[in-house]
């Protein structure tokens, strides 16, 4: 039993004391964490992320008991664990909702301001909100169709295995207009993704199917392959191609300078590198579209209240008028649906405060150390990563020649499940590889745990395969 060990544990019940913020850990757990500085956060029902040593958690069982499992989280590209400040913002917003007579501050202006701070060259007036990146992309697709920008035989440039929130809205618009998708395949050792994209854009004028829109991320969501959006944007300008950016997997870690990348729209779901909750995408809309694009759904918040209009006395007649018709100025006209979500907005505000205070070069340096270690240590096991430039925070480990027969996607999924269940190591399986996406509190010790566990798993599945073959 170690009272000196301070844990991030949040038991729903159990032997902890509020007043001295300590908790009597089971001996096995205390032994595991000996010497590791942990912080106690008492928060029933919510497994908190530690404020200082996030990668070391104690799990809380169903009955509020701790198991002594250490967690190594390599899945920030799926969903970030919520920091204490984001949780508190949500809890506080929830309490305010319970008491509707209490005034709640409108935090949306601050959210627009913080998001625009991540996009050099933008202003808060250029930011609108959507419930998801798919929603934002659907809004864009409808506007491009409505304005006659996308027509029969036009092409829309996308990547092979691009995230579906981008693809579905444009598949839909292709069906209606007769436009088609021009899919740029994964990079090879001889050709980077950026080069392939530039070649296709430069060939656009000679081709029968002219590229009208390119919808691209800064890096690929499944393997971290990096695109040079500055050169791509320059080519888009030359060929009069609109550029829509899905920055979900990059903003918060990578810079996006809109004075160099002349994007028409930039959407980023907030529940990964922007440290927010699931359920929101923040969207930059270039000023040139702010008088012509329409929101996907129609609601009063997108309209300007006319001067002198009085909600308590003026009557509204759907035919003869008094429903304000003028849209809001700026990107706000494209805000989605009704009232901003009163729980999520304060939470993302808290996440963005954190993100905007961090130094991008420091974050990148820290993360690249971890992902480089993963790549070099996974190589002797038989894993390879995609050729070409890669972002600092996401890497895909593909089975190389020695593993390719054994590690089918199904086998990898089963391996990932065992890693999570038995070892508390969280990775994703995406596009035929393990996707490794650490964040700032992932340590080189976590990398060693991951590599040891992967080595054991590879041995195990190879043994199983041998046994299966022997039985045939
Ligand atoms: C590249 C990319 N874009 C977008 C999203 C999220 O999209 P949506 O907000 O539509 O769920 C994800 C993952 O969730 C992603 O990896």
């Amino acid at each position: 039993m170690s009272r000196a060990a301070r844990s991030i544990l949040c038991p729903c019940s159990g032997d902890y004391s509020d007043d001295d913020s300590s908790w009597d850990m089971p001996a096995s757990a205390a032994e595991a964490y000996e010497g590791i500085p942990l912080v106690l956060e008492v928060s029933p029902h919510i497994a908190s992320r530690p404020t200082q040593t996030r990668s070391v958690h104690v799990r809380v069982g169903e009955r509020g008991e701790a198991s002594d499992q250490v967690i190594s989280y390599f899945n920030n590209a799926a969903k970030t664990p919520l920091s204490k400040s984001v949780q508190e913002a949500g809890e506080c917003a929830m309490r305010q909702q319970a008491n509707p007579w209490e005034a709640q501050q409108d935090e949306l202006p601050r959210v627009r301001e913080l998001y625009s701070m991540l996009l050099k060259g933008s202003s808060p007036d250029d930011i609108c909100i959507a419930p998801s990146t798919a929603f934002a992309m659907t809004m864009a697709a409808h506007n491009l169709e409505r304005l006659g920008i996308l027509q029969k035989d036009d092409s829309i440039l996308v990547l092979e295995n691009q995230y579906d929130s981008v693809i579905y809205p444009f598949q839909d618009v292709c069906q209606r207009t007769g436009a088609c998708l021009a899919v740029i395949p994964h990079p090879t050792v001889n050709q980077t993704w950026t080069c392939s994209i530039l070649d296709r854009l430069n060939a656009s004028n000679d081709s029968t199917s002219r590229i009208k829109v390119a919808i691209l991320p800064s890096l690929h969501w499944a393997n971290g392959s990096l695109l040079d959006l500055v050169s791509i944007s320059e080519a888009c300008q030359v060929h009069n191609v609109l550029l829509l950016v899905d920055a979900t997997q990059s903003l918060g870690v990578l810079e996006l300078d809109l004075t160099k990348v002349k994007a028409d729209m930039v959407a980023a779901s907030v529940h990964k590198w922007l440290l927010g909750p699931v359920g929101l995408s923040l969207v930059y809309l270039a000023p040139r579209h702010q008088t012509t694009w329409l929101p996907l759904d129609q609601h009063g918040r997108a309209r300007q209240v006319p001067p002198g209009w009085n909600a308590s006395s003026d009557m509204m007649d759907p035919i003869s008028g008094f429903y304000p018709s003028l849209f809001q100025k700026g990107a706000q006209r494209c805000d989605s649906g009704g009232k901003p979500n009163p729980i999520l907005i304060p939470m993302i505000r808290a996440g963005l405060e954190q993100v905007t205070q961090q130094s991008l070069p420091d974050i990148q340096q820290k993360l690249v150390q971890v992902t480089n270690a993963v790549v070099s240590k996974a190589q002797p096991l038989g894993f390879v990563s995609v050729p070409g430039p890669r972002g600092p925070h996401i890497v895909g480990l593909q089975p190389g020649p020695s593993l390719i027969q054994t590690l089918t996607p199904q086998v990898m999924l089963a391996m990932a499940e065992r890693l999570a269940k038995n070892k508390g190591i969280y990775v994703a399986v995406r596009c035929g590889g393990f996707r490794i996406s650490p964040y700032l509190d992932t340590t080189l010790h976590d990398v060693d745990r991951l590599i040891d566990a992967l080595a054991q798993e590879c041995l195990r599945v190879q043994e199983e395969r041998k046994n299966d073959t022997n039985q045939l």
Side-chain angles (χ1 to χ4, degrees), residues 159-181:
L159 301 179
E160 188 177 7
N161 285 320
Q162 192 157 349
Y163 196 74
D164 61 11
S165 294
V166 165
I167 300 301
Y168 286 129
F170 285 90
Q171 280 180 339
D172 180 49
V173 100
C174 285
Q175 271 181 5
R176 289 198 305 270
T177 58
C180 57
L181 298 179

Side-chain angles (χ1 to χ4, degrees), residues 77-79 130-137 161-166 169 217-222 246-250 267-273 278-281 394 430 435:
K79 187 168 166 337
S132 67
T133 293
F135 191 102
M137 290 291 168
N161 285 320
Q162 192 157 349
Y163 196 74
D164 61 11
S165 294
V166 165
S218 299
L219 88 170
H220 195 260
W221 64 288
D246 175 4
T248 300
Q249 293 292 6
S250 55
S269 302
V270 301
H271 57 281
K272 301 161 192 295
W273 312 99
V278 173
L280 270 181
S281 179
I394 299 180
R430 298 287 185 269
R435 180 184 65 188

